[in-house]
Amino acid sequence: MFLILRRGIAIALLLTTTGCSTLSGWFSLDDEEVNQPAELQKFTEAVRLKKLWSESVGNGQGDGLYRLMPAIQGDQIYAASNEGEIVALQLSSGKRIWRQALDQSVSGGVGVSGDRLFVGTSEGQVLALDAGNGSVLWRQTLRGEVLSAPQSDGRVVVVQTYDGRAQGLDAKTGDLLWTYDSNVPVLTIRGTSTPILRDGNAYVGFANGRVVAFDVEKGTVEWELRVAIAQGRSEIERMVDIDGALEIIGNELYAAGYQGYLVAADVRTGRKLWQQEVSTVSGVSQGFSNVYVSDQDGTVSAYYRNGQGLRWAQSDLSYRAPTKPVPVASYLAFTDFDGVLHLLSQVDGRFVGRDKIGAAARADIISQGNRFFVFTDKGKLIAYEVSAKD
């Protein structure tokens, strides 16, 4: 299952027929000349980037195009590698608190709720671990590879698997509570979005371009929202997917999909409030009354949350595959395919900082205040602090 080029962006695809098989090799979709990544332009740095610490976590993302993400709770940060190493570190210093070596390949994680961590494996298992010492509390076997972090509200764990299922498990025992099967298209992007749990509901984006809201305990469908509509003659042209992060703030949910739209909806009813045409695999974030998205052509854009349209667009990173822009203080942080860390102003999208991190990092950056954390594909977890220059 490897990469496919479309207008300069590398997308991993899965071919689904009666069962699941993979597309291997490189494919040219049309006669278009592949766009070359933009050369980085010089600018005057307006921020100070301070590297606080770094720590190695196993083999990082491994070879399966995974996007394992760290998770923060209290004064600790948790991270997992594809080979099964899970660590708890002090947030301020990076000092290791505990380490657990699983005997399985981790493909989805890390989720955290209360005193428990949750990870998923490439063999379709979900594991709950004690957040205090890393010991395994229970294992549940599901059908389908788990490619995003299982999420919990303390009562139920919601897991999405690559075969189009969302499932609810009892957080204390791992017992299966409910299952929802979605219609999986012939071609999908390699990955799944991460469920969001809020106020008794679970919100999940699927490969058919829909977001579905469930009652988290019963698994009953509350509403469905179409984010992308398949169009075109070929299966590749008709491919849609919601592979990146959803965002909820107040009573509004934001979602974006590949060859679809950036959509704002009422989180209570699923009623669409506004939409803008975009194509992204990295999802959305929000801050400064904006909604941020990285388009497949490398443009990073800010849209007004109130639906008034585009606020600004930064196009100097064309075809450099920027990851999801993540708010950090007054800035946006993200990386590109070449292992370069970029910071933009949330106000106008201008470049304010940059650093070379040494390896690509396809996992989303996570942030807390003016600190943020980058987990590279090779397993280096790096903590930064950002501040404005005088």
Side-chain angles (χ1 to χ4, degrees):
M1 67 216 44
F2 279 55
L3 301 178
I4 182 165
L5 290 179
R6 180 179 179 85
R7 300 185 180 92
I9 186 171
I11 304 291
L13 300 180
L14 175 76
L15 175 60
T16 304
T17 53
T18 305
C20 290
S21 57
T22 59
L23 289 175
S24 299
W26 295 90
F27 298 78
S28 177
L29 302 186
D30 48 40
D31 294 330
E32 293 182 26
E33 181 179 338
V34 174
N35 291 287
Q36 295 300 310
E39 295 290 333
L40 296 180
Q41 303 299 311
K42 293 183 179 180
F43 63 94
T44 301
E45 292 193 349
V47 300
R48 289 189 178 88
L49 268 176
K50 180 181 180 181
K51 187 181 293 186
L52 301 176
W53 54 262
S54 66
E55 179 73 14
S56 293
V57 184
N59 68 338
Q61 305 295 346
D63 298 324
L65 300 178
Y66 299 114
R67 290 191 300 177
L68 296 166
M69 290 178 54
I72 293 173
Q73 181 167 259
D75 59 356
Q76 297 184 24
I77 183 168
Y78 305 93
S81 72
N82 173 241
E83 65 185 356
E85 179 175 329
I86 303 177
V87 297
L89 309 173
Q90 286 185 355
L91 198 62
S92 58
S93 66
K95 181 180 178 181
R96 183 175 296 179
I97 300 169
W98 56 256
R99 173 185 178 273
Q100 171 68 274
L102 301 177
D103 57 357
Q104 293 173 279
S105 174
V106 176
S107 54
V110 178
V112 57
S113 177
D115 61 357
R116 299 195 175 194
L117 306 181
F118 303 95
V119 298
T121 76
S122 55
E123 293 81 19
Q125 279 202 336
V126 178
L127 287 76
L129 293 86
D130 189 308
N133 57 30
S135 61
V136 176
L137 301 175
W138 54 255
R139 302 172 187 247
Q140 174 62 271
T141 300
L142 305 176
R143 196 179 82 184
E145 190 175 19
V146 180
L147 293 180
S148 60
Q151 298 295 304
S152 177
D153 61 0
R155 298 170 298 160
V156 178
V157 183
V158 177
V159 185
Q160 186 175 11
T161 52
Y162 198 19
D163 58 1
R165 286 182 172 85
Q167 295 175 281
L169 310 177
D170 186 291
K172 295 190 181 302
T173 65
D175 293 340
L176 180 64
L177 302 176
W178 54 264
T179 297
Y180 172 87
D181 283 301
S182 68
N183 179 30
V184 180
V186 172
L187 293 180
T188 70
I189 296 169
R190 170 71 173 167
T192 63
S193 67
T194 301
I196 294 180
L197 276 59
R198 291 284 191 280
D199 300 328
N201 284 338
Y203 305 89
V204 185
F206 290 97
N208 59 12
R210 296 173 182 265
V211 175
V212 181
F214 303 94
D215 180 288
V216 74
E217 293 191 349
K218 301 176 183 178
T220 53
V221 174
E222 301 292 317
W223 52 256
E224 295 187 16
L225 170 68
R226 188 185 292 273
V227 175
I229 301 174
Q231 302 180 73
R233 295 184 177 181
S234 71
E235 293 296 342
I236 291 176
E237 289 175 330
R238 293 175 57 79
M239 185 176 67
V240 296
D241 205 333
I242 301 174
D243 197 44
L246 310 176
E247 184 82 10
I248 293 177
I249 181 169
N251 290 324
E252 296 174 358
L253 177 142
Y254 302 94
Y258 178 67
Q259 298 191 142
Y261 298 91
L262 167 63
V263 172
D266 188 312
V267 75
R268 298 162 295 187
T269 64
R271 181 178 64 87
K272 191 177 294 184
L273 304 175
W274 56 261
Q275 68 180 29
Q276 294 285 337
E277 188 172 356
V278 301
S279 182
T280 182
V281 296
S282 60
V284 300
S285 62
Q286 64 80 31
F288 277 34
S289 297
N290 300 326
V291 182
Y292 304 107
V293 63
S294 295
D295 203 280
Q296 70 174 56
D297 66 3
T299 301
V300 179
S301 302
Y303 293 89
Y304 288 101
R305 272 186 53 206
N306 61 11
Q308 292 184 351
L310 184 68
R311 181 173 184 180
W312 55 256
Q314 175 55 259
S315 59
D316 285 354
L317 297 175
S318 298
Y319 304 105
R320 295 188 65 90
T323 57
K324 186 184 78 171
V326 174
V328 183
S330 301
Y331 315 107
L332 291 175
F334 54 90
T335 63
D336 68 20
F337 78 100
D338 201 28
V340 179
L341 169 68
H342 303 274
L343 274 83
L344 306 182
S345 165
Q346 288 197 58
V347 175
D348 54 18
R350 62 187 170 88
F351 286 95
V352 295
R354 181 177 293 159
D355 192 25
K356 183 73 174 177
I357 59 176
R362 57 180 167 264
D364 294 345
I365 287 171
I366 59 174
S367 66
Q368 184 184 75
N370 68 335
R371 294 179 295 176
F372 63 95
F373 304 84
V374 181
F375 189 40
T376 74
D377 295 352
K378 293 183 178 180
K380 187 72 72 173
L381 180 58
I382 310 169
Y384 284 94
E385 183 178 79
V386 61
S387 60
K389 285 188 174 181
D390 295 333

